[in-house]
Amino acid sequence: MLSAFATESTTPFKVWHACLTIEASDMTLQNVRERTANIGKLGRLLEGIPTSEEKQLVEDATRYLISQLKVNFRPLYPDTIAALAGLGSSRGETLWGIIWDQLQKTIASETAVAVDLDWEEPEWTKVTPVHSGDSDEGDEEDKESRCPNLVKGRRALSSAWASSANPASADLSEEIQVS
């Protein structure tokens, strides 16, 4: 597919090959060094592109670098931020335009959105559990061995889940006592 964009000697090929190399490296603690080195290489490659050329390519690759911050893998963050900071010195307007666009989308959203994951609220969060006294359903322990703070914590958690649409309506008045 990369051959459809450019030949091996052109800048677009080099940039997309660097992105592909990042994606091809495993995201494990053993391979984090390889992945972060490839992120740094992409950052240096983007810095080397003259500002008058390949504006769309740099914008797309910058979006790719920003997407690395959305991956829940903290060892990538410092090198990604360093690559973006280096890019910010020469293409600050492009970088901040993309970042501002992402922030506006996040602020304008009424609910959490994960478009690329086809995210939906799980059914178990929609069902309000029925509590009868201080007993848990299916719990076969004696009443003496139950932890009352655990029961209160579970109630508070289920109340918070049930009122997630309106956090102000959550009834968390029962305090958990530490003994």
Side-chain angles (χ1 to χ4, degrees):
M1 182 165 157
L2 290 176
S3 61
F5 291 115
T7 61
E8 288 187 34
S9 62
T10 62
T11 303
F13 179 84
K14 292 176 183 176
V15 169
W16 293 124
H17 182 69
C19 291
L20 183 64
T21 305
I22 292 169
E23 284 300 310
S25 59
D26 291 335
M27 206 170 342
T28 61
L29 287 176
Q30 290 81 13
N31 296 347
V32 72
R33 222 171 168 170
E34 175 188 352
R35 193 168 180 103
T36 56
N38 290 332
I39 289 172
K41 183 179 176 181
L42 176 62
R44 289 187 300 277
L45 187 60
L46 291 175
E47 286 178 43
I49 298 174
T51 55
S52 61
E53 296 178 17
E54 306 288 349
K55 289 182 181 179
Q56 186 62 43
L57 174 70
V58 172
E59 188 175 315
D60 292 342
T62 302
R63 287 182 192 279
Y64 176 77
L65 279 174
I66 290 173
S67 73
Q68 294 301 304
L69 295 174
K70 295 178 182 181
V71 175
N72 191 14
F73 193 57
R74 277 194 189 164
L76 299 180
Y77 297 171
D79 290 300
T80 303
I81 292 169
L84 289 170
L87 193 59
S89 63
S90 62
R91 297 185 187 260
E93 190 171 312
T94 302
L95 176 67
W96 287 109
I98 294 169
I99 291 173
W100 183 250
D101 182 50
Q102 294 291 316
L103 287 174
Q104 284 179 326
K105 286 179 185 176
T106 303
I107 292 169
S109 176
E110 294 179 11
T111 60
V113 177
V115 176
D116 58 337
L117 298 177
D118 240 1
W119 180 80
E120 292 181 16
E121 189 174 327
E123 285 296 320
W124 61 269
T125 62
K126 298 176 187 175
V127 178
T128 307
V130 178
H131 296 288
S132 58
D134 280 342
S135 65
D136 291 333
E137 286 186 34
D139 217 0
E140 296 182 10
E141 298 177 341
D142 294 331
K143 186 161 179 88
E144 298 86 35
S145 63
R146 287 197 191 115
C147 176
N149 288 331
L150 179 62
V151 172
K152 290 177 186 177
R154 287 182 181 165
R155 282 188 194 150
L157 182 62
S158 65
S159 172
W161 271 111
S163 64
S164 64
N166 186 5
S169 68
D171 181 24
L172 304 177
S173 60
E174 289 187 36
E175 293 184 21
I176 299 174
Q177 301 169 356
V178 178
S179 47

